[in-house]
Amino acid sequence: MDRRPRSVTAYPRLAWAWTRALAQYPVSLAMLTFAQACTTAVELLAVVIVFGHAGRLGGFTLDEAMLFYGLTGTAFSTAHLLIGTVDRLGEHIRRGSLDTVLIRPVSPLVQIATEEFSPRRLGRTVPSAAALGYALSVLDIAWTPERVLMVPLLIGCGALICGSLWVTAASVQFLLTDARELVSSVTNGGWALTEYPLAIYGRDVVRAVTYLVPLAFVSWQPALYILDRPDPLGMPDWLRYASPAVAAAAVAVAALVWRTGLRHYRSTGS
């Protein structure tokens, strides 16, 4: 049975079912959403304090740093909202509940991604989107029709890259069921790394997150394109146009790794 057509409609239905359940407790939902927003706002405040004292870091100003933060936060928080719970795969394998997931006529990835879906995660998106909107409004950007159209495309590509990294890292748990912390180091660690201009980390780090783990295409290369600035570390200029291709490749790799893990999964017999 082909699960793909059902999965397309199943995702919003499952997400809505969880949302409707949480909406029965509106005060709790509002407080949790506010708490998420406050947590992200504290991270944003740290960026403001660091750049406020230093003036410039890696050749970038505070307003430019807000652009990096906004691109990263919007992409990662969107991926976290839509697919963040996939890192619970190891728990399902240990409990034997993945066997139940597999016999349902809906993609296992959709079922796990929508598990305990909660709109409170939007709390992490709001400060990031606000920082991005602020940066785009105050920076001296040479707006052209092409650049206007590219901004939402780059944000979408960043979210796809982040979501693909989540799935790829989570798939390691098919082999190492206790590897949730490893998944977190890739996802949340990548989130923290790309909140700042990558120029502050040096050339070797930038090469690693460009050619090995494509985090540079979440905020670094898109920001250089938006600002129309040369790469201070001398990376090729064509990389700033590569986000769509990198996103497509990341999705393909994530799908391959996930399907390979499923094919090699052995039932717990429970």
Side-chain angles (χ1 to χ4, degrees):
M1 180 184 298
D2 190 353
R3 301 181 180 186
R4 285 173 293 181
R6 293 193 179 190
S7 299
V8 171
T9 57
Y11 186 100
R13 290 181 180 180
L14 291 172
W16 173 245
W18 281 105
T19 301
R20 187 172 56 184
L22 291 170
Q24 302 303 311
Y25 307 93
V27 176
S28 175
L29 179 60
M31 292 180 65
L32 289 171
T33 303
F34 179 72
Q36 292 271 7
C38 288
T39 300
T40 306
V42 169
E43 297 172 356
L44 176 58
L45 180 61
V47 174
V48 172
I49 291 174
V50 168
F51 276 85
H53 283 282
R56 284 178 174 265
L57 282 177
F60 293 90
T61 65
L62 172 58
D63 289 342
E64 291 168 336
M66 297 285 276
L67 176 62
F68 287 100
Y69 180 91
L71 288 169
T72 291
T74 302
F76 269 101
S77 61
T78 300
H80 181 252
L81 170 69
L82 298 176
I83 206 167
T85 52
V86 74
D87 63 0
R88 297 180 180 178
L89 174 64
E91 297 178 14
H92 283 284
I93 295 174
R94 289 195 303 273
R95 296 198 307 258
S97 56
L98 183 60
D99 295 357
T100 304
V101 171
L102 290 173
I103 64 175
R104 295 170 182 160
V106 177
S107 164
L109 180 58
V110 169
Q111 293 181 63
I112 297 175
T114 55
E115 185 177 38
E116 296 184 12
F117 182 93
S118 176
R120 72 173 182 269
R121 299 177 199 161
L122 286 170
R124 305 194 73 175
T125 305
V126 172
S128 301
L132 178 59
Y134 168 81
L136 292 175
S137 65
V138 301
L139 288 171
D140 185 17
I141 300 172
W143 289 109
T144 63
E146 175 192 5
R147 190 164 279 113
V148 170
L149 293 174
M150 280 292 288
V151 169
L153 176 62
L154 292 172
I155 295 172
C157 289
L160 284 175
I161 292 170
C162 295
S164 299
L165 290 176
W166 234 296
V167 173
T168 301
S171 299
V172 174
Q173 296 176 91
F174 282 114
L175 297 175
L176 305 172
T177 56
D178 293 321
R180 188 172 181 180
E181 293 302 320
L182 175 62
V183 179
S184 179
S185 68
V186 174
T187 55
N188 294 325
W191 192 335
L193 178 73
T194 53
E195 286 178 344
Y196 293 86
L198 292 182
I200 69 175
Y201 300 113
R203 189 184 304 273
D204 291 338
V205 173
V206 175
R207 285 176 176 170
V209 297
T210 300
Y211 300 115
L212 295 179
V213 182
L215 291 169
F217 299 95
V218 175
S219 63
W220 175 245
Q221 292 297 341
L224 292 179
Y225 169 79
I226 294 171
L227 296 171
D228 195 22
R229 288 187 53 168
D231 192 315
L233 298 176
M235 302 289 282
D237 287 344
W238 60 265
L239 288 173
R240 64 190 61 195
Y241 302 101
S243 290
V246 171
V251 170
V253 169
L256 176 62
V257 173
W258 177 265
R259 290 172 181 171
T260 301
L262 281 180
R263 283 198 300 268
H264 289 82
Y265 170 71
R266 295 295 178 264
S267 170
T268 60
S270 59

PDB file of all heavy atoms in Angstrom, residues 183-204:
ATOM      1  N   VAL A 183      21.587  13.494  18.600  1.00  0.00           N
ATOM      2  CA  VAL A 183      20.687  14.246  17.723  1.00  0.00           C
ATOM      3  C   VAL A 183      20.626  15.703  18.171  1.00  0.00           C
ATOM      4  O   VAL A 183      20.693  16.632  17.365  1.00  0.00           O
ATOM      5  CB  VAL A 183      19.275  13.624  17.719  1.00  0.00           C
ATOM      6  CG1 VAL A 183      18.336  14.427  16.822  1.00  0.00           C
ATOM      7  CG2 VAL A 183      19.333  12.174  17.270  1.00  0.00           C
ATOM      8  N   SER A 184      20.505  15.910  19.473  1.00  0.00           N
ATOM      9  CA  SER A 184      20.422  17.266  20.016  1.00  0.00           C
ATOM     10  C   SER A 184      21.687  18.067  19.735  1.00  0.00           C
ATOM     11  O   SER A 184      21.626  19.275  19.470  1.00  0.00           O
ATOM     12  CB  SER A 184      20.157  17.206  21.525  1.00  0.00           C
ATOM     13  OG  SER A 184      20.090  18.498  22.081  1.00  0.00           O
ATOM     14  N   SER A 185      22.840  17.389  19.784  1.00  0.00           N
ATOM     15  CA  SER A 185      24.095  18.101  19.528  1.00  0.00           C
ATOM     16  C   SER A 185      24.167  18.608  18.094  1.00  0.00           C
ATOM     17  O   SER A 185      24.756  19.654  17.821  1.00  0.00           O
ATOM     18  CB  SER A 185      25.290  17.188  19.829  1.00  0.00           C
ATOM     19  OG  SER A 185      25.360  16.122  18.890  1.00  0.00           O
ATOM     20  N   VAL A 186      23.539  17.872  17.164  1.00  0.00           N
ATOM     21  CA  VAL A 186      23.542  18.289  15.763  1.00  0.00           C
ATOM     22  C   VAL A 186      22.515  19.394  15.523  1.00  0.00           C
ATOM     23  O   VAL A 186      22.811  20.396  14.869  1.00  0.00           O
ATOM     24  CB  VAL A 186      23.245  17.090  14.836  1.00  0.00           C
ATOM     25  CG1 VAL A 186      23.095  17.551  13.388  1.00  0.00           C
ATOM     26  CG2 VAL A 186      24.350  16.047  14.952  1.00  0.00           C
ATOM     27  N   THR A 187      21.306  19.212  16.072  1.00  0.00           N
ATOM     28  CA  THR A 187      20.223  20.170  15.807  1.00  0.00           C
ATOM     29  C   THR A 187      20.353  21.432  16.661  1.00  0.00           C
ATOM     30  O   THR A 187      20.536  22.528  16.138  1.00  0.00           O
ATOM     31  CB  THR A 187      18.875  19.494  16.049  1.00  0.00           C
ATOM     32  OG1 THR A 187      18.838  18.940  17.384  1.00  0.00           O
ATOM     33  CG2 THR A 187      18.658  18.361  15.053  1.00  0.00           C
ATOM     34  N   ASN A 188      20.275  21.274  17.960  1.00  0.00           N
ATOM     35  CA  ASN A 188      20.374  22.446  18.838  1.00  0.00           C
ATOM     36  C   ASN A 188      21.775  23.053  18.800  1.00  0.00           C
ATOM     37  O   ASN A 188      21.936  24.275  18.919  1.00  0.00           O
ATOM     38  CB  ASN A 188      19.997  22.070  20.270  1.00  0.00           C
ATOM     39  CG  ASN A 188      18.546  21.683  20.404  1.00  0.00           C
ATOM     40  OD1 ASN A 188      17.681  22.229  19.724  1.00  0.00           O
ATOM     41  ND2 ASN A 188      18.243  20.711  21.247  1.00  0.00           N
ATOM     42  N   GLY A 189      22.792  22.187  18.646  1.00  0.00           N
ATOM     43  CA  GLY A 189      24.150  22.712  18.512  1.00  0.00           C
ATOM     44  C   GLY A 189      24.311  23.531  17.249  1.00  0.00           C
ATOM     45  O   GLY A 189      24.932  24.597  17.254  1.00  0.00           O
ATOM     46  N   GLY A 190      23.731  23.035  16.143  1.00  0.00           N
ATOM     47  CA  GLY A 190      23.777  23.799  14.897  1.00  0.00           C
ATOM     48  C   GLY A 190      23.017  25.097  14.999  1.00  0.00           C
ATOM     49  O   GLY A 190      23.420  26.127  14.442  1.00  0.00           O
ATOM     50  N   TRP A 191      21.904  25.063  15.744  1.00  0.00           N
ATOM     51  CA  TRP A 191      21.110  26.273  15.975  1.00  0.00           C
ATOM     52  C   TRP A 191      21.957  27.332  16.672  1.00  0.00           C
ATOM     53  O   TRP A 191      22.020  28.491  16.237  1.00  0.00           O
ATOM     54  CB  TRP A 191      19.902  25.884  16.830  1.00  0.00           C
ATOM     55  CG  TRP A 191      18.821  26.910  16.948  1.00  0.00           C
ATOM     56  CD1 TRP A 191      18.940  28.257  16.818  1.00  0.00           C
ATOM     57  CD2 TRP A 191      17.436  26.660  17.231  1.00  0.00           C
ATOM     58  NE1 TRP A 191      17.729  28.873  17.006  1.00  0.00           N
ATOM     59  CE2 TRP A 191      16.786  27.915  17.256  1.00  0.00           C
ATOM     60  CE3 TRP A 191      16.698  25.508  17.472  1.00  0.00           C
ATOM     61  CZ2 TRP A 191      15.427  28.035  17.530  1.00  0.00           C
ATOM     62  CZ3 TRP A 191      15.342  25.636  17.733  1.00  0.00           C
ATOM     63  CH2 TRP A 191      14.714  26.877  17.763  1.00  0.00           C
ATOM     64  N   ALA A 192      22.638  26.933  17.741  1.00  0.00           N
ATOM     65  CA  ALA A 192      23.459  27.879  18.507  1.00  0.00           C
ATOM     66  C   ALA A 192      24.643  28.378  17.680  1.00  0.00           C
ATOM     67  O   ALA A 192      25.012  29.560  17.754  1.00  0.00           O
ATOM     68  CB  ALA A 192      23.946  27.215  19.793  1.00  0.00           C
ATOM     69  N   LEU A 193      25.217  27.486  16.882  1.00  0.00           N
ATOM     70  CA  LEU A 193      26.399  27.857  16.092  1.00  0.00           C
ATOM     71  C   LEU A 193      26.089  28.924  15.063  1.00  0.00           C
ATOM     72  O   LEU A 193      26.848  29.879  14.872  1.00  0.00           O
ATOM     73  CB  LEU A 193      26.959  26.610  15.396  1.00  0.00           C
ATOM     74  CG  LEU A 193      28.167  26.817  14.490  1.00  0.00           C
ATOM     75  CD1 LEU A 193      29.417  27.075  15.331  1.00  0.00           C
ATOM     76  CD2 LEU A 193      28.375  25.609  13.585  1.00  0.00           C
ATOM     77  N   THR A 194      24.946  28.789  14.388  1.00  0.00           N
ATOM     78  CA  THR A 194      24.644  29.679  13.264  1.00  0.00           C
ATOM     79  C   THR A 194      23.895  30.939  13.665  1.00  0.00           C
ATOM     80  O   THR A 194      23.511  31.727  12.798  1.00  0.00           O
ATOM     81  CB  THR A 194      23.819  28.910  12.207  1.00  0.00           C
ATOM     82  OG1 THR A 194      22.668  28.314  12.827  1.00  0.00           O
ATOM     83  CG2 THR A 194      24.660  27.824  11.562  1.00  0.00           C
ATOM     84  N   GLU A 195      23.663  31.139  14.957  1.00  0.00           N
ATOM     85  CA  GLU A 195      23.037  32.388  15.407  1.00  0.00           C
ATOM     86  C   GLU A 195      23.966  33.582  15.209  1.00  0.00           C
ATOM     87  O   GLU A 195      23.513  34.727  15.162  1.00  0.00           O
ATOM     88  CB  GLU A 195      22.646  32.288  16.878  1.00  0.00           C
ATOM     89  CG  GLU A 195      21.436  31.414  17.143  1.00  0.00           C
ATOM     90  CD  GLU A 195      21.129  31.309  18.616  1.00  0.00           C
ATOM     91  OE1 GLU A 195      22.007  31.642  19.445  1.00  0.00           O
ATOM     92  OE2 GLU A 195      20.012  30.890  18.955  1.00  0.00           O
ATOM     93  N   TYR A 196      25.264  33.325  15.118  1.00  0.00           N
ATOM     94  CA  TYR A 196      26.261  34.380  14.953  1.00  0.00           C
ATOM     95  C   TYR A 196      26.880  34.279  13.557  1.00  0.00           C
ATOM     96  O   TYR A 196      26.869  33.208  12.944  1.00  0.00           O
ATOM     97  CB  TYR A 196      27.362  34.238  16.013  1.00  0.00           C
ATOM     98  CG  TYR A 196      26.891  34.498  17.421  1.00  0.00           C
ATOM     99  CD1 TYR A 196      26.312  33.473  18.175  1.00  0.00           C
ATOM    100  CD2 TYR A 196      27.023  35.753  18.004  1.00  0.00           C
ATOM    101  CE1 TYR A 196      25.879  33.713  19.473  1.00  0.00           C
ATOM    102  CE2 TYR A 196      26.600  35.991  19.298  1.00  0.00           C
ATOM    103  CZ  TYR A 196      26.021  34.965  20.025  1.00  0.00           C
ATOM    104  OH  TYR A 196      25.587  35.203  21.310  1.00  0.00           O
ATOM    105  N   PRO A 197      27.457  35.362  13.054  1.00  0.00           N
ATOM    106  CA  PRO A 197      28.167  35.290  11.772  1.00  0.00           C
ATOM    107  C   PRO A 197      29.283  34.251  11.844  1.00  0.00           C
ATOM    108  O   PRO A 197      30.092  34.263  12.778  1.00  0.00           O
ATOM    109  CB  PRO A 197      28.722  36.709  11.595  1.00  0.00           C
ATOM    110  CG  PRO A 197      27.844  37.578  12.439  1.00  0.00           C
ATOM    111  CD  PRO A 197      27.448  36.741  13.599  1.00  0.00           C
ATOM    112  N   LEU A 198      29.345  33.372  10.880  1.00  0.00           N
ATOM    113  CA  LEU A 198      30.321  32.285  10.926  1.00  0.00           C
ATOM    114  C   LEU A 198      31.756  32.780  10.825  1.00  0.00           C
ATOM    115  O   LEU A 198      32.692  32.038  11.136  1.00  0.00           O
ATOM    116  CB  LEU A 198      30.042  31.287   9.806  1.00  0.00           C
ATOM    117  CG  LEU A 198      28.744  30.481   9.927  1.00  0.00           C
ATOM    118  CD1 LEU A 198      28.625  29.490   8.776  1.00  0.00           C
ATOM    119  CD2 LEU A 198      28.666  29.759  11.261  1.00  0.00           C
ATOM    120  N   ALA A 199      31.946  34.023  10.405  1.00  0.00           N
ATOM    121  CA  ALA A 199      33.299  34.569  10.284  1.00  0.00           C
ATOM    122  C   ALA A 199      34.023  34.590  11.623  1.00  0.00           C
ATOM    123  O   ALA A 199      35.256  34.568  11.660  1.00  0.00           O
ATOM    124  CB  ALA A 199      33.241  35.980   9.697  1.00  0.00           C
ATOM    125  N   ILE A 200      33.290  34.618  12.733  1.00  0.00           N
ATOM    126  CA  ILE A 200      33.939  34.672  14.044  1.00  0.00           C
ATOM    127  C   ILE A 200      34.564  33.335  14.424  1.00  0.00           C
ATOM    128  O   ILE A 200      35.371  33.267  15.361  1.00  0.00           O
ATOM    129  CB  ILE A 200      32.953  35.119  15.147  1.00  0.00           C
ATOM    130  CG1 ILE A 200      31.903  34.036  15.393  1.00  0.00           C
ATOM    131  CG2 ILE A 200      32.301  36.435  14.783  1.00  0.00           C
ATOM    132  CD1 ILE A 200      30.967  34.367  16.551  1.00  0.00           C
ATOM    133  N   TYR A 201      34.214  32.257  13.707  1.00  0.00           N
ATOM    134  CA  TYR A 201      34.732  30.940  14.058  1.00  0.00           C
ATOM    135  C   TYR A 201      35.979  30.551  13.264  1.00  0.00           C
ATOM    136  O   TYR A 201      36.667  29.608  13.630  1.00  0.00           O
ATOM    137  CB  TYR A 201      33.660  29.868  13.830  1.00  0.00           C
ATOM    138  CG  TYR A 201      32.405  30.087  14.641  1.00  0.00           C
ATOM    139  CD1 TYR A 201      31.199  30.406  14.016  1.00  0.00           C
ATOM    140  CD2 TYR A 201      32.417  29.971  16.025  1.00  0.00           C
ATOM    141  CE1 TYR A 201      30.042  30.606  14.743  1.00  0.00           C
ATOM    142  CE2 TYR A 201      31.263  30.179  16.769  1.00  0.00           C
ATOM    143  CZ  TYR A 201      30.084  30.492  16.121  1.00  0.00           C
ATOM    144  OH  TYR A 201      28.940  30.695  16.848  1.00  0.00           O
ATOM    145  N   GLY A 202      36.237  31.189  12.159  1.00  0.00           N
ATOM    146  CA  GLY A 202      37.411  30.855  11.377  1.00  0.00           C
ATOM    147  C   GLY A 202      37.092  30.009  10.156  1.00  0.00           C
ATOM    148  O   GLY A 202      36.022  29.433  10.015  1.00  0.00           O
ATOM    149  N   ARG A 203      38.084  29.937   9.261  1.00  0.00           N
ATOM    150  CA  ARG A 203      37.899  29.311   7.957  1.00  0.00           C
ATOM    151  C   ARG A 203      37.598  27.813   8.047  1.00  0.00           C
ATOM    152  O   ARG A 203      36.745  27.291   7.319  1.00  0.00           O
ATOM    153  CB  ARG A 203      39.156  29.529   7.107  1.00  0.00           C
ATOM    154  CG  ARG A 203      38.990  29.117   5.653  1.00  0.00           C
ATOM    155  CD  ARG A 203      40.331  29.282   4.922  1.00  0.00           C
ATOM    156  NE  ARG A 203      40.825  30.640   5.062  1.00  0.00           N
ATOM    157  CZ  ARG A 203      40.494  31.638   4.254  1.00  0.00           C
ATOM    158  NH1 ARG A 203      39.652  31.409   3.262  1.00  0.00           N
ATOM    159  NH2 ARG A 203      40.995  32.840   4.445  1.00  0.00           N
ATOM    160  N   ASP A 204      38.253  27.088   8.940  1.00  0.00           N
ATOM    161  CA  ASP A 204      38.063  25.640   9.012  1.00  0.00           C
ATOM    162  C   ASP A 204      36.648  25.280   9.428  1.00  0.00           C
ATOM    163  O   ASP A 204      36.048  24.330   8.909  1.00  0.00           O
ATOM    164  CB  ASP A 204      39.072  25.022   9.984  1.00  0.00           C
ATOM    165  CG  ASP A 204      40.502  25.072   9.454  1.00  0.00           C
ATOM    166  OD1 ASP A 204      40.663  25.183   8.222  1.00  0.00           O
ATOM    167  OD2 ASP A 204      41.443  25.005  10.267  1.00  0.00           O
TER     168      ASP A 204
END
